[in-house]
Amino acid sequence: MIALNQKLNELFAGRVVRKDLVQRVKKGTNAPTFVLEFLLARYCATDDADEIESGLVAVNETLQGNFVRPNESNAAQSIVQQQGSHKFIDKVRVTHNEKEKRHWAEMENFGSRRIAINERHYRDNKRLLEGGLWCEVVVGYNTIEDDEYAFHIEDLRPIQVSRFDFDTFIDARRQFTREEWKTTILRSVGLEADHLTPRQQMLYLARLVPLVEANYNFVELGPRGTGKSYTFSEFSPYSTLISGGQTTTATLFYNKTRRQVGIIGYWDSIAFDEVAGIRVKDPGTIQILKDFMANGRFNLGAEVIAPASLAFVGNIDDSISEIVRSSQFDLFKPLPEEFDLAVIHRFHQYLPGWEIPANADHLLTEEYGFITDYLAEAFHYLFKHRNYFPAVKKRAKLGAGFQGRDETAVYKTVAGLIKLLHPDGECGDDEFEEYLAYAIEGRRRVKEQLNKRKKDEEFGEIRLSYTNTRGENVEVHCPESQGVDATLRPRSGPSEALTPPGLLPPVAPPGAVSDEETGAVAKAADELKDKHFTIRYGDSGYSYQAIFGAYLQGAKKLVVEDPYIRRDHQIRNFLQLCELAVQGGTIKAVELVTSAEHEAQKDDAVKRLDEIKEGLADYDVTLSYRFDDKIHDREVRTDTGWHIQIGRGLDIYQGPMTRLKVGATNFDLRPCMETKVSIFKQVEGENGLL
């Protein structure tokens, strides 16, 4: 493959790098891959072994002296102040301040958002205004005391590609065979194609489809250690990876409080890692997810249209052969229970992650591949400006077993593979049929699991086929289930009366609560009783969650009246209460009535409460507050009728002797002051509620 290296260096000069060197440098730093490749292209653009070793030393020295780490921002600013100027490698973003009518630069790790910048920098590099660019940037210190800024940018050189010429990219691509190009793409993500079977090569390429095909719904489940998340976390600056855990409508889709589109509007692809760990507390989120996966749009008071592709990746611990032969389980077993049949039906491709080999050194390439950022720009252009779906639809001849979503899934997968391997949209019949067969397999795997979960014949047509150029009908099978009746004919013969995993009732529309959930909340609320007790001095085990957390269940609004939310520790107590409200998942508004001893104290409290307000907005919870010098009593009220009266208000805890004393952060372990607690429910209409 020496000839391929030569061809790449000739046709893509300055856009390729030796990928084994990237691996060597990356093991000792947390710098982004494209930063490392930029430095390698500068210092190691040779095949001479001695020069490469000297270049690697220069790369490491540059990283040590110029790469800013997030925890070193203060030291970096001090260096500029002492030296007058210094060169850094950091992500630079430029924003326009409407009030001041000027632009300011901010550096992500340097830790300053108010850096003066000359117009020519953002005029020549538009991406500085569109999310930011990693750059080599010389920062100078401003010694003029009357100026409103301490730092200014003296010089700036983008590390990432600031302009991409698609026509040049296409012209160069036409000089390669399909196999050469496939090898190049795989090497660009660090893999050696010569060490992979053709089947494995196709699977690795299919992982990249969400990066080039808009509104594509992808799922991969498989063993640990196969690099499932790497594609979305390291390969493209237009892709983001969300680790498994709770997600909210406000974060993902739309924040009603801020009237701001969530991350769905800012990325080409969004991947959810460790998908089994996803927890969705707002039932409306799943309905919005379904709408978006089906149409690329949703409505939450304002219609939002976005092209983002969604990828769900996770681990599957069970034996694949045992699952496909089981009458109880299917290959979507690891998905969270919120992912019902309707969500699963919207997946375009299920990639069999169990066929991908575990990460190993022998799979890594030692040859040339594209600089990651350059190929990411090519993929971004294909994602945004090329649509091969109509051409694929016109060309493909699918069998009678296809329904609407089956066809869409197959067409989109084929279109994505063509973008990856034939970015000009032109491929031969044999290549097209290869992509078509793979796409049908990926969709059939989805249909087989749906048919296994559903007790009737709604998804019973799993025999998917196409007609080739010779007029032959070709049925496509999934390798793991071929000839296995438990998957292919799940309702034939005796079956155990066990509800398949994930077979859940329909989710309520956005903002609504299902009858079952309403009943569950009502039942839980009915079980709560009035209570009155005394917390003795020195007692522990009385966090807010322990005292009244259960009484917040089902509430949408919380009112806190406490004249003593004004000092630092008291405001921290109030923050603890707000965090408890967020964790409950139903509260959307918090109202505080408090007081202050003097204007300076009030101003300080306002500043801190505004900070809490800003944080709550991220969870689509509003905070309003007012100061009333006449209030004295302390009470927490919910719109479900519960009144929580604590003699000392929220200020019930003894202060820790030191910040490192047990109980300093865990209120269940913190000793209390003595106080009385009364919790009771006021009948609606008695003296009014909220």
Side-chain angles (χ1 to χ4, degrees), residues 2 121 323 335 343 349 390 412 459 486 503 531 628 650 652:
I2 295 177
H121 292 305
I323 292 177
L335 293 187
V343 173
Q349 179 197 167
K412 290 182 75 66
F459 303 111
L503 186 56
K531 61 181 180 179
D628 185 346
L650 298 180
I652 65 174

Side-chain angles (χ1 to χ4, degrees), residues 54 105 157 197 229 256 349 361 380 409 432 441-442 465 483 496 504 525 533 558 575 666 680 688:
S54 298
R157 179 186 178 187
T197 67
S229 60
K256 290 182 179 179
Q349 179 197 167
D361 289 344
H380 177 62
F432 184 84
E441 178 200 318
S465 63
E496 300 177 38
L504 303 176
F533 60 94
L558 202 63
L575 175 60
N666 187 334
F680 59 91

Side-chain angles (χ1 to χ4, degrees), residues 375-394:
L375 190 58
E377 285 300 317
F379 285 177
H380 177 62
Y381 187 96
L382 288 162
F383 181 96
K384 192 173 181 180
H385 300 291
R386 287 293 180 270
N387 179 13
Y388 296 146
F389 184 97
V392 172
K393 181 177 180 180
K394 183 178 180 180

Side-chain angles (χ1 to χ4, degrees), residues 601-612:
Q601 188 181 70
K602 180 178 178 181
D603 291 343
D604 184 64
V606 166
K607 181 179 179 181
R608 293 171 181 270
L609 290 172
D610 281 344
E611 191 172 345
I612 294 175

Side-chain angles (χ1 to χ4, degrees), residues 43 314 485:
Y43 295 113
D485 286 347

Side-chain angles (χ1 to χ4, degrees), residues 266-331:
Y266 295 93
W267 300 93
D268 287 359
S269 61
I270 300 171
F272 299 86
D273 194 15
E274 305 294 348
V275 65
I278 291 178
R279 295 293 178 264
V280 183
K281 290 191 175 181
D282 181 357
T285 300
I286 290 295
Q287 184 59 45
I288 300 165
L289 177 66
K290 293 175 187 176
D291 292 342
F292 183 76
M293 291 176 74
N295 308 306
R297 65 181 67 194
F298 58 89
N299 195 313
L300 276 173
E303 185 176 53
V304 176
I305 301 174
S309 291
L310 302 180
F312 301 87
V313 297
N315 301 321
I316 188 165
D317 296 321
D318 302 277
S319 163
I320 300 303
S321 61
E322 289 182 5
I323 292 177
V324 298
R325 286 171 169 77
S326 168
S327 61
Q328 302 179 33
F329 304 113
D330 59 70
L331 293 173

Side-chain angles (χ1 to χ4, degrees), residues 349-552:
Q349 179 197 167
Y350 184 158
L351 190 147
W354 52 88
E355 292 191 41
I356 290 183
N359 295 333
D361 289 344
H362 74 276
L363 297 177
L364 303 178
T365 188
E366 297 181 353
E367 309 298 338
Y368 281 86
F370 285 118
I371 289 176
T372 300
D373 194 55
Y374 178 71
L375 190 58
E377 285 300 317
F379 285 177
H380 177 62
Y381 187 96
L382 288 162
F383 181 96
K384 192 173 181 180
H385 300 291
R386 287 293 180 270
N387 179 13
Y388 296 146
F389 184 97
V392 172
K393 181 177 180 180
K394 183 178 180 180
R395 187 173 180 180
K397 297 178 180 179
L398 302 180
F402 281 85
Q403 299 171 332
R405 284 191 176 139
D406 302 330
E407 294 177 349
T408 298
V410 169
Y411 297 152
K412 290 182 75 66
T413 301
V414 174
L417 291 171
I418 289 175
K419 287 181 181 181
L420 290 169
L421 296 173
H422 312 271
D424 60 358
E426 300 177 5
C427 67
D429 289 339
D430 290 343
E431 295 163 337
F432 184 84
E433 289 178 7
E434 179 185 353
Y435 309 149
L436 186 61
Y438 176 81
I440 293 173
E441 178 200 318
R443 178 57 183 177
R444 175 165 177 162
R445 187 169 289 108
V446 174
K447 287 289 293 286
E448 287 184 353
Q449 314 319 308
L450 287 169
N451 185 44
K452 202 171 183 181
R453 290 190 174 204
K454 197 76 160 60
K455 291 184 177 180
D456 57 27
E457 294 296 327
E458 180 181 355
F459 303 111
E461 186 51 80
I462 61 174
R463 299 183 63 182
L464 304 182
S465 63
Y466 69 95
T467 302
N468 62 23
T469 54
R470 296 181 294 278
E472 300 166 339
N473 186 69
V474 181
E475 181 179 349
V476 179
H477 299 272
C478 299
E480 70 277 358
S481 63
Q482 193 165 2
V484 181
D485 286 347
T487 293
L488 301 181
R489 287 174 286 277
R491 283 169 294 282
S492 63
S495 61
E496 300 177 38
L498 181 67
T499 302
L503 186 56
L504 303 176
V507 176
V513 180
S514 69
D515 292 340
E516 290 186 9
E517 290 169 321
T518 302
V521 170
K523 181 179 179 181
D526 288 342
E527 293 173 352
L528 294 173
K529 305 293 183 183
D530 294 1
K531 61 181 180 179
H532 309 272
F533 60 94
T534 298
I535 299 174
R536 301 296 180 186
Y537 183 87
D539 284 353
S540 60
Y542 289 103
S543 65
Y544 299 142
Q545 170 66 47
I547 297 172
F548 56 79
Y551 293 84
L552 305 186

